mmCIF file of all heavy atoms in Angstrom:
data_model
loop_
_atom_site.group_PDB
_atom_site.id
_atom_site.type_symbol
_atom_site.label_atom_id
_atom_site.label_comp_id
_atom_site.label_asym_id
_atom_site.label_seq_id
_atom_site.Cartn_x
_atom_site.Cartn_y
_atom_site.Cartn_z
ATOM 1 N N VAL L 259 81.121 106.822 107.273
ATOM 2 C CA VAL L 259 80.557 105.506 107.821
ATOM 3 C C VAL L 259 81.028 104.327 107.020
ATOM 4 O O VAL L 259 81.454 104.503 105.753
ATOM 5 C CB VAL L 259 78.906 105.580 107.820
ATOM 6 C CG1 VAL L 259 78.438 106.782 108.663
ATOM 7 C CG2 VAL L 259 78.367 105.596 106.413
ATOM 8 N N VAL L 260 81.088 103.189 107.609
ATOM 9 C CA VAL L 260 81.169 101.935 106.874
ATOM 10 C C VAL L 260 79.694 101.371 106.983
ATOM 11 O O VAL L 260 79.080 101.248 107.911
ATOM 12 C CB VAL L 260 82.093 100.962 107.638
ATOM 13 C CG1 VAL L 260 81.900 99.627 107.003
ATOM 14 C CG2 VAL L 260 83.452 101.527 107.507
ATOM 15 N N LEU L 261 79.266 101.046 105.718
ATOM 16 C CA LEU L 261 77.880 100.470 105.608
ATOM 17 C C LEU L 261 78.051 98.895 105.527
ATOM 18 O O LEU L 261 78.508 98.320 104.585
ATOM 19 C CB LEU L 261 77.262 100.797 104.276
ATOM 20 C CG LEU L 261 75.766 100.434 104.063
ATOM 21 C CD1 LEU L 261 74.944 101.116 105.064
ATOM 22 C CD2 LEU L 261 75.381 100.902 102.663
ATOM 23 N N ASP L 262 77.906 98.305 106.765
ATOM 24 C CA ASP L 262 78.181 96.983 107.008
ATOM 25 C C ASP L 262 77.026 96.071 106.659
ATOM 26 O O ASP L 262 76.028 96.157 107.392
ATOM 27 C CB ASP L 262 78.654 96.731 108.480
ATOM 28 C CG ASP L 262 79.187 95.341 108.640
ATOM 29 O OD1 ASP L 262 78.416 94.331 108.508
ATOM 30 O OD2 ASP L 262 80.416 95.213 108.932
ATOM 31 N N LEU L 263 77.143 95.160 105.629
ATOM 32 C CA LEU L 263 75.932 94.416 105.138
ATOM 33 C C LEU L 263 75.957 92.963 105.773
ATOM 34 O O LEU L 263 75.222 92.156 105.336
ATOM 35 C CB LEU L 263 76.042 94.412 103.649
ATOM 36 C CG LEU L 263 75.917 95.700 102.924
ATOM 37 C CD1 LEU L 263 75.932 95.501 101.442
ATOM 38 C CD2 LEU L 263 74.570 96.514 103.332
ATOM 39 N N SER L 264 76.818 92.696 106.755
ATOM 40 C CA SER L 264 76.817 91.390 107.397
ATOM 41 C C SER L 264 75.419 91.121 108.009
ATOM 42 O O SER L 264 75.069 89.961 108.164
ATOM 43 C CB SER L 264 77.905 91.279 108.508
ATOM 44 O OG SER L 264 77.691 92.234 109.508
ATOM 45 N N THR L 265 74.719 92.166 108.304
ATOM 46 C CA THR L 265 73.371 92.048 108.843
ATOM 47 C C THR L 265 72.465 91.356 107.745
ATOM 48 O O THR L 265 71.584 90.505 108.227
ATOM 49 C CB THR L 265 72.751 93.376 109.217
ATOM 50 O OG1 THR L 265 71.559 93.122 109.864
ATOM 51 C CG2 THR L 265 72.540 94.370 107.956
ATOM 52 N N TYR L 266 72.665 91.436 106.532
ATOM 53 C CA TYR L 266 72.018 90.851 105.451
ATOM 54 C C TYR L 266 72.425 89.341 105.360
ATOM 55 O O TYR L 266 71.576 88.404 105.291
ATOM 56 C CB TYR L 266 72.155 91.562 104.136
ATOM 57 C CG TYR L 266 71.380 90.908 102.984
ATOM 58 C CD1 TYR L 266 70.140 90.809 103.033
ATOM 59 C CD2 TYR L 266 72.162 90.331 101.842
ATOM 60 C CE1 TYR L 266 69.387 90.219 101.808
ATOM 61 C CE2 TYR L 266 71.483 89.819 100.830
ATOM 62 C CZ TYR L 266 70.069 89.739 100.808
ATOM 63 O OH TYR L 266 69.455 89.176 99.831
ATOM 64 N N ARG L 267 73.772 89.187 105.587
ATOM 65 C CA ARG L 267 74.184 87.637 105.518
ATOM 66 C C ARG L 267 73.609 87.018 106.768
ATOM 67 O O ARG L 267 73.171 85.764 106.578
ATOM 68 C CB ARG L 267 75.638 87.768 105.728
ATOM 69 C CG ARG L 267 76.407 86.300 105.646
ATOM 70 C CD ARG L 267 76.587 85.599 107.005
ATOM 71 N NE ARG L 267 76.937 86.573 108.145
ATOM 72 C CZ ARG L 267 78.110 86.958 108.400
ATOM 73 N NH1 ARG L 267 79.153 86.500 107.711
ATOM 74 N NH2 ARG L 267 78.314 87.707 109.436
ATOM 75 N N ASN L 268 73.437 87.603 107.941
ATOM 76 C CA ASN L 268 72.771 87.018 108.978
ATOM 77 C C ASN L 268 71.357 86.641 108.813
ATOM 78 O O ASN L 268 70.954 85.583 109.202
ATOM 79 C CB ASN L 268 72.969 87.977 110.362
ATOM 80 C CG ASN L 268 74.361 88.128 110.759
ATOM 81 O OD1 ASN L 268 75.296 87.301 110.300
ATOM 82 N ND2 ASN L 268 74.752 89.057 111.454
ATOM 83 N N LEU L 269 70.636 87.508 108.157
ATOM 84 C CA LEU L 269 69.254 87.257 107.827
ATOM 85 C C LEU L 269 69.199 86.112 106.876
ATOM 86 O O LEU L 269 68.227 85.243 107.079
ATOM 87 C CB LEU L 269 68.614 88.492 107.187
ATOM 88 C CG LEU L 269 67.149 88.396 106.708
ATOM 89 C CD1 LEU L 269 66.188 88.064 107.790
ATOM 90 C CD2 LEU L 269 66.696 89.616 105.966
#
Side-chain angles (χ1 to χ4, degrees):
V259 303
V260 171
L261 188 64
D262 189 292
L263 301 181
S264 60
T265 186
Y266 181 61
R267 185 272 320 278
N268 295 343
L269 175 62

